[in-house]
Amino acid sequence: MKELLHTVRLQINPSVYIKNPESTELGKKIMTEGINLIDKIGYEDFTFRKLGQKIGSPEASVYRYFQSKQKFLLYLTSWYWAWMDYRLEFAIANINSPNQKLERTINLLTERVTEDSNFTFMNIVKLSRIVFTESSKSYLNKEVDEQNKQGVYLGYKQLVGKASGIIMEVSPKYKYPNMLISTVIEGAHLQHFFAEHLPKLTNKTNGNDDVKKFYHELVLKTITANKK
Amino acid sequence: MKELLHTVRLQINPSVYIKNPESTELGKKIMTEGINLIDKIGYEDFTFRKLGQKIGSPEASVYRYFQSKQKFLLYLTSWYWAWMDYRLEFAIANINSPNQKLERTINLLTERVTEDSNFTFMNIVKLSRIVFTESSKSYLNKEVDEQNKQGVYLGYKQLVGKASGIIMEVSPKYKYPNMLISTVIEGAHLQHFFAEHLPKLTNKTNGNDDVKKFYHELVLKTITANKK
DNA sequence: CAAATATGATAGTATTACTATTATATTTGC
DNA sequence: GCAAATATAATAGTAATACTATCATATTTG
């Protein structure tokens, strides 16, 4: 993707923050250093106190932006999904062939983010690593229904919905587009994690693009009608 | 599956416990009530102190069986994978057709456990709910490499390996059997969770067996060679 | 220039995830 | 059948976590 010279402001559901961190310097420091810290020590060991020490502010100041570290994680993941949604729109703009749209969509959803975009102060490489490892924890808990009512997963749902729509363009009769897309997204995260930490659970051969290839093939074959 | 009148002792890697909980009454109480409690309040809110109160023993006693609540979760998941492995062996015993073996395997890996087996004091329905929601947290963290060295994921790897072998029987040239199986296992857990809590991310129509059907079709189509 | 808002500095709290110690009860080995 | 080993109970203690509260000061805005 090309560098963008104009600034894009991503839309994040306000339910995940108290005060928009993009609106102040301190808020931006919280995001930048928060990402660094979670990427380094992991979500479990991450605390607002440690973050405060990094940015030279008391933890109480961090609490003025986010109710809890859960909400902070939700903010980061929401930001990521909004960014992906934006990238998806960009990637399929002016493309007419549904098949080509689908190919680009699957690429986007399954490939690793390795290059830093400088369109934002967010470190995207680190953020995407965080999302791959930690994002499922934001819904796999007992608060999921309550949080869902507040709308904290809207960004994720929107992206899944959009990608499912592209599946339907290619194969209008396919019954399970949402299942397929959420399987692909979460599966790709997992496979990248496994490749690094539990290789017995995956199949990385020589190279790099195995995950992408695997899900490409899987999606295309799955949505194509069989000649029984 | 038929009820079994003999007792089967599942093999659990000793790295996940200090003292085998199956060897004493207290140990069994810890498992039974631990499962009840995690199922009720979730892994995050679960503590050994609360568990101790339930079973009328001090938390120090629980610590004599398990080093930490992480290890306790690992014990439960290891037990579950060992049980699944046993059920898989049982389900494919004396079946010759690879396709039929595969069908039964996918069934086992993707369906919800709704019936309590009385071959054990473990509440399998609750345990499987716990595994669906919490098991990924046992590896999605910074300790994964260290824990992996200790062998705590061996049971899971073994099951994935066995199921991949069946894929290879059906389709010897297929390149990504492990990816496919781990995608199916974790994906099915997720889809069941979504169906209950985030239905926008899945496609449940009228009935019940959608997840099973979806993954069946997905696997069969994926491993079948295309006529290009 | 007053009023509102943002931040810093500091303190406090209930709970968590443990570890340690001692006493008593139970099992086992000879 | 008794000593020795082992298991459990009872209790206490600790550093860290995930917050909340208060007050003073600095900065922005109308």
Side-chain angles (χ1 to χ4, degrees), chain A residues 29-65:
Chain A
K29 260 162 85 183
I30 288 173
M31 293 169 69
T32 310
E33 290 305 316
I35 287 172
N36 285 339
L37 196 53
I38 293 181
D39 185 47
K40 193 176 172 192
I41 66 175
Y43 177 69
E44 280 75 22
D45 285 351
F46 169 82
T47 71
F48 281 178
R49 179 164 301 215
K50 289 175 188 166
L51 176 54
Q53 275 156 9
K54 273 226 167 188
I55 62 177
S57 289
E59 61 178 332
S61 294
V62 182
Y63 276 102
R64 278 191 213 101
Y65 286 83

Side-chain angles (χ1 to χ4, degrees), chain B residues 66-216:
Chain B
F66 299 100
Q67 293 100 319
S68 63
K69 81 172 189 174
Q70 257 244 57
K71 285 278 164 89
F72 184 56
L73 178 62
L74 275 166
Y75 182 87
L76 295 182
T77 55
S78 299
W79 197 99
Y80 181 83
W81 297 126
W83 179 68
M84 288 293 276
D85 190 86
Y86 165 78
R87 290 212 304 160
L88 179 56
E89 287 294 349
F90 199 86
I92 62 176
N94 308 315
I95 306 239
N96 292 318
S97 149
N99 277 298
Q100 228 180 343
K101 278 196 207 173
L102 182 59
E103 201 193 320
R104 283 158 178 250
T105 303
I106 303 299
N107 268 348
L108 214 65
L109 296 180
T110 59
E111 76 195 355
R112 219 173 212 173
V113 181
T114 51
E115 244 184 77
D116 235 330
S117 137
N118 55 7
F119 106 89
T120 169
F121 52 94
M122 302 283 261
N123 184 323
I124 309 265
V125 174
K126 289 182 182 176
L127 177 59
S128 82
R129 257 203 307 260
I130 291 171
V131 169
F132 283 24
T133 310
E134 320 285 5
S135 67
S136 65
K137 297 171 191 168
S138 74
Y139 53 76
L140 290 173
N141 56 54
K142 292 284 176 188
E143 287 85 48
V144 60
D145 297 325
E146 208 187 319
Q147 308 246 43
N148 187 31
K149 271 185 213 155
Q150 288 175 36
V152 305
Y153 309 114
L154 284 172
Y156 187 41
K157 289 182 197 171
Q158 185 179 319
L159 181 65
V160 169
K162 202 168 279 180
S164 300
I166 294 167
I167 297 257
M168 295 310 274
E169 283 182 41
V170 175
S171 190
K173 286 189 176 167
Y174 184 63
K175 272 185 176 173
Y176 308 112
N178 292 357
M179 278 196 189
L180 185 56
I181 291 296
S182 55
T183 294
V184 168
I185 293 177
E186 300 292 337
H189 292 177
L190 221 52
Q191 296 303 325
H192 286 301
F193 184 87
F194 288 162
E196 211 170 313
H197 301 287
L198 299 165
K200 285 254 168 66
L201 298 175
T202 190
N203 307 86
K204 60 168 188 180
T205 54
N206 44 12
N208 22 24
D209 286 343
D210 290 311
V211 174
K212 216 155 98 175
K213 273 187 210 160
F214 165 72
Y215 284 108
H216 254 287

Side-chain angles (χ1 to χ4, degrees), chain A residues 129-140:
Chain A
R129 256 202 310 260
I130 291 171
V131 168
F132 283 23
T133 311
E134 320 285 5
S135 66
S136 66
K137 297 171 191 168
S138 73
Y139 53 76
L140 290 174

